[in-house]
Amino acid sequence: MPLTREELLAIEAKAHEHRRTIIETTLCAGSGHLGGALSMIDVATLLYSRFMRIDPEKPDWEDRDRFIMSKGHAGIGFVAILADIGYIAKKDLEIFNLTGSKLGIHLDANKVPGVDASTGSLGHGLSIALGTALAAKQLGKSYRTFCLLGDGECQEGAVWEAAMAIGHFNPPRLVTLVDRNHAQIDGMTEDVMPIEPFEDKWRAFGFHAVTVDGHDFEAMSEAIEAALDRTDKPTCIILDTCKGKGVGFCAGDYHWHYGGITREMGDEALRDLDQYYESRVAAIERRGAE
Amino acid sequence: MGISFTSINQTRLSTGEVYCETLCELAEENPRIVALTADLGKSSKIGDFMKRFPDRFYQFGIAEQNMYGAAAGMAKAGLIPFTSSFAIFTSCRALDQVHTDICYQKANVKMISSHAGTSFGQAGTTHHSTEDIAIMRSLANLVVIVPADGMETANVVRAAVGYEGPVYIRINRGFDQLVYKDLDYGYEIGKAVQLAEGTDVTIIACGSAVFQSIQAASELSADGISARVLDMHTIKPIDKEAILKACHDTRRIITVEDHTIIGGLGGAVAEVLAESGMSCAFRRLGLQDCFSPIGYHEDLMAIHGIDTNGIVKAVHDLLQLDFEDDDDWADEV
């Protein structure tokens, strides 16, 4: 089902709210993984707005859909969603990454409700997602498993061990997503260690691979629905994104994989985000008028 | 529980086969048990499980990192995965996944890790696993068990299913010498088994060193030396009470393991002793901070001084080196 205009506007608003939360949380923490959180927040918002079957009252519900965020360093983005659902208190975000907080940079599944896997060491999540999806089949459950990887993460060999096995087992209702923001800590991926031709790599491992604009909710929604419907082979959706999306001084700059910001920079970022959101809404309205 | 092994089974089946048969019997009753391997189904003897429960057997190919990660995912979703690989691959190749995906997340995965120590001695040092106890013992949330023989392996596998949380079970390649005649000796995780009573020295051993220690105690007895033997199958959580009792009663302790002396059984016992405020004459037998040469298991055990002769000699040395003349413990601290 395509997104209605109302749904689209609601998701845009939610993503905007989460983007602002990322900046506010970073201000409280002093620093954070801004770039990768801002690139993945759109797909994460879409998943939790439209796809994830969860129970806000019961984070451990055994039939819930799973979200394995393999790029664990984007925790500062994920907590915005968890706080919105109510798994954690909004107030908890004020002590994100501080001593005594249950919210570390890389979230602990045993401490934070709604987190399905403790990730952070890269290249682990896809294997965990594979096991989760195989268990659904073994236990006769119909939950879906979504796994979000980073693109730099795909330089890890273990990702391809998992990819080979997923191509082989083709476990039910497992959707692999890669936040292809083109940047990693030390530079642009193609300068540090090239991963292209990226789609071809996934195809070679038995996947149906597609690339969509990772900031286009309609395109992403369509691709995820198609992936869930498809049973002949697993799907990898490569999300073409921009690291630091929406914030002028971050956008597209690999230096903002992780960084600290001052209150002034935070205010500037929030102004940028408001402007970014207004332009998104205006584009939707223009389209509606045409 | 239908498992009723006796020494007859144990002489017929290798330790790996006993593991597989035990797991099959448990799997009959518990549909949550699944078996995973990384192209070592044949070597780890888990093939019979594959035949009997084909839809509960997962072949991951030569990709241990993925297998342990997937096992964590399965466990978090409610299954009880038993992984079968070589100890060297569990503890070294896939350590990051074992550390983060299994131990940190308290995933209910049972890691059966075979060909441990120098039991696959001929395969070469790349296949010896002589650091795994030290490595695995350092991981929080993990129970580390080294069964003495096939019978104990059956008991451990059974106990592991009843325990909620990750367990590392270190077994050997091939047949182990018989230590136990049947299953009914009251096996309990974390509780050492006293196999011989003694007053002059306590030999604390695990795995293949347990049988050697019993033999050694028997030889020492002929020399008039009374040696206690403890099968310290659980390295973590270790049986502090048994260690301190041995320290108090015999005041000489030797640890024996098919493993480096650094950080393994010997290290674990030393930690308990050091923190107790008590002291006793103490020696660790095992690989003396070296890699092992290549050879048959029994030859390598002799080379590393963890066979019967090596243990007997170490006890004699220790008796010579004892730190005081009188046997009065009360004047010590």
Side-chain angles (χ1 to χ4, degrees):
Chain A
M1 289 277 286
L3 290 170
T4 64
R5 185 171 171 281
E6 287 66 35
E7 283 171 327
L8 182 57
L9 284 168
I11 294 173
E12 286 282 4
K14 192 56 82 180
H16 175 55
E17 190 186 317
H18 292 333
R19 278 200 161 79
R20 287 186 62 96
T21 304
I22 290 169
I23 299 299
E24 296 287 5
T25 307
T26 304
L27 279 169
C28 293
S31 58
H33 287 87
L34 275 179
L38 290 168
S39 64
M40 61 69 82
I41 197 66
D42 281 342
V43 71
T45 303
L46 175 68
L47 284 172
Y48 278 87
S49 299
R50 191 169 164 83
F51 292 99
M52 289 290 288
R53 295 185 300 212
I54 53 170
D55 182 348
E57 303 298 320
K58 259 176 67 186
D60 292 334
W61 176 39
E62 61 177 37
D63 293 322
R64 72 190 184 280
D65 285 350
R66 267 68 166 183
F67 176 60
I68 312 289
M69 192 177 70
S70 195
K71 49 171 292 180
H73 53 278
I76 200 162
F78 194 17
V79 288
I81 290 171
L82 296 173
D84 185 46
I85 296 165
Y87 285 153
I88 55 174
K90 291 220 159 69
K91 211 167 166 45
D92 291 343
L93 301 181
E94 291 170 15
I95 53 164
F96 180 88
N97 190 23
L98 302 184
T99 306
S101 170
K102 66 181 174 184
L103 306 173
I105 290 176
H106 303 93
L107 300 173
D108 180 345
N110 289 332
K111 287 194 185 140
V112 188
V115 176
D116 290 318
S118 304
T119 52
S121 181
L122 294 173
H124 288 221
L126 196 54
S127 297
I128 297 172
L130 164 64
T132 307
L134 287 173
K137 191 178 176 191
Q138 191 78 64
L139 296 166
K141 295 189 175 294
S142 57
Y143 63 74
R144 293 95 60 95
T145 308
F146 299 97
C147 183
L148 178 65
L149 297 109
D151 52 358
E153 177 178 12
C154 294
Q155 291 159 355
E156 288 281 6
V159 169
W160 302 101
E161 286 188 12
M164 189 180 289
I166 292 167
H168 168 63
F169 289 115
N170 188 19
R173 300 173 295 281
L174 169 61
V175 182
T176 304
L177 304 137
V178 185
D179 180 9
R180 178 81 175 102
N181 62 26
H182 304 270
Q184 57 191 108
I185 297 178
D186 278 351
M188 302 307 281
T189 58
E190 298 316 282
D191 296 328
V192 175
M193 181 56 67
I195 59 173
E196 294 292 347
F198 200 43
E199 267 189 19
D200 289 347
K201 284 190 171 69
W202 290 97
R203 285 196 191 105
F205 282 85
F207 282 67
H208 169 63
V210 290
T211 301
V212 300
D213 181 339
H215 302 299
D216 179 337
F217 294 112
E218 290 166 298
M220 286 193 286
S221 185
E222 202 179 306
I224 293 167
E225 276 183 17
L228 288 169
D229 286 343
R230 186 163 194 145
T231 53
D232 63 331
K233 48 168 81 173
T235 297
C236 175
I237 303 171
I238 299 163
L239 306 160
D240 189 13
T241 60
C242 170
K243 200 153 183 161
K245 182 74 171 177
V247 174
F249 62 81
C250 289
D253 183 351
Y254 72 83
H255 291 99
W256 281 97
H257 174 85
Y258 182 92
I261 55 173
T262 60
R263 183 72 243 184
E264 290 69 34
M265 291 166 85
D267 290 340
E268 183 188 332
L270 291 171
R271 279 195 300 274
D272 285 358
L273 290 178
D274 289 344
Q275 218 167 44
Y276 170 69
Y277 172 58
E278 282 161 23
S279 72
R280 303 273 301 182
V281 173
I284 295 167
E285 281 168 355
R286 262 200 315 277
R287 231 176 47 189
E290 278 163 13
Chain B
M1 192 68 62
I3 304 163
S4 58
F5 287 114
T6 64
S7 51
I8 297 161
N9 296 88
Q10 209 178 163
T11 48
R12 185 170 59 82
L13 302 173
S14 68
T15 301
E17 286 166 330
V18 172
Y19 150 53
C20 179
E21 195 161 317
T22 308
L23 191 63
C24 286
E25 293 197 22
L26 291 164
E28 292 283 359
E29 297 169 7
N30 190 333
R32 289 180 179 257
I33 291 175
V34 291
L36 289 66
T37 194
D39 198 35
L40 291 173
K42 188 177 167 210
S43 309
S44 65
K45 311 296 178 197
I46 197 71
D48 205 40
F49 188 102
M50 177 180 67
K51 283 187 204 137
R52 287 169 63 179
F53 307 96
D55 60 338
R56 288 157 71 180
F57 179 83
Y58 292 91
Q59 173 59 267
F60 280 86
I62 308 167
E64 292 83 6
Q65 298 177 77
N66 183 45
M67 177 177 73
Y68 288 103
M74 288 177 166
K76 294 301 272 185
L79 295 174
I80 306 174
F82 273 76
T83 59
S84 296
S85 187
F86 289 175
I88 185 76
F89 304 142
T90 313
S91 62
C92 291
R93 186 60 178 247
L95 181 59
D96 198 25
Q97 278 75 11
V98 169
H99 168 277
T100 303
D101 304 352
I102 296 176
C103 295
Y104 176 41
Q105 302 203 84
K106 295 182 189 159
N108 194 23
V109 178
K110 316 302 174 188
M111 296 173 273
I112 311 291
S113 297
S114 66
H115 296 58
T118 56
S119 69
F120 198 11
Q122 304 128 274
T125 310
T126 57
H127 281 57
H128 299 166
S129 184
T130 51
E131 304 82 16
D132 60 313
I133 300 176
I135 294 167
M136 304 307 274
R137 193 169 76 84
S138 69
L139 299 175
N141 299 334
L142 185 62
V143 168
V144 178
I145 305 181
V146 186
D149 68 356
M151 208 65 68
E152 190 153 78
T153 299
N155 270 332
V156 171
V157 170
R158 206 155 73 165
V161 172
Y163 170 84
E164 176 75 25
V167 183
Y168 178 73
I169 302 171
R170 180 198 212 236
I171 62 175
N172 293 324
R173 175 177 189 255
F175 288 80
D176 282 298
Q177 303 267 20
L178 266 65
V179 172
Y180 297 102
K181 291 193 185 66
D182 55 46
L183 292 170
D184 310 317
Y185 57 93
Y187 179 84
E188 212 180 304
I189 292 175
K191 190 117 185 73
V193 182
Q194 183 171 305
L195 293 165
E197 174 56 307
T199 51
D200 295 326
V201 62
T202 299
I203 307 168
I204 303 180
C206 65
S208 52
V210 174
F211 176 79
Q212 301 296 333
S213 300
I214 296 168
Q215 300 267 97
S218 162
E219 281 197 21
L220 289 163
S221 160
D223 295 337
I225 298 166
S226 167
R228 179 180 298 182
V229 177
L230 293 179
D231 168 13
M232 191 64 75
H233 47 77
T234 307
I235 311 297
K236 198 174 84 172
I238 199 145
D239 188 345
K240 289 182 187 169
E241 202 182 319
I243 295 168
L244 296 180
K245 187 168 186 306
C247 177
H248 178 271
D249 295 351
T250 69
R251 304 172 55 250
R252 300 175 190 94
I253 290 178
I254 285 186
T255 59
V256 199
E257 60 198 305
D258 186 7
H259 181 272
T260 175
I261 56 161
I262 299 173
L265 170 67
V269 171
E271 288 164 14
V272 172
L273 290 172
E275 288 191 339
S276 72
M278 298 202 281
S279 73
C280 69
F282 181 63
R283 284 289 175 281
R284 292 167 297 157
L285 304 188
L287 276 73
Q288 303 292 315
D289 194 16
C290 61
F291 290 104
S292 177
I294 298 164
Y296 289 109
H297 190 202
E298 51 269 40
D299 293 338
L300 297 179
M301 288 185 78
I303 287 168
H304 297 300
I306 54 172
D307 65 339
T308 305
N309 290 338
I311 298 165
V312 168
K313 183 178 178 304
V315 168
H316 281 297
D317 289 350
L318 195 67
L319 287 166
Q320 294 297 317
L321 290 169
D322 207 350
F323 58 97
E324 62 172 359
D325 297 328
D326 68 274
D327 271 349
D328 181 11
W329 174 249
D331 64 358
E332 275 308 306
V333 181

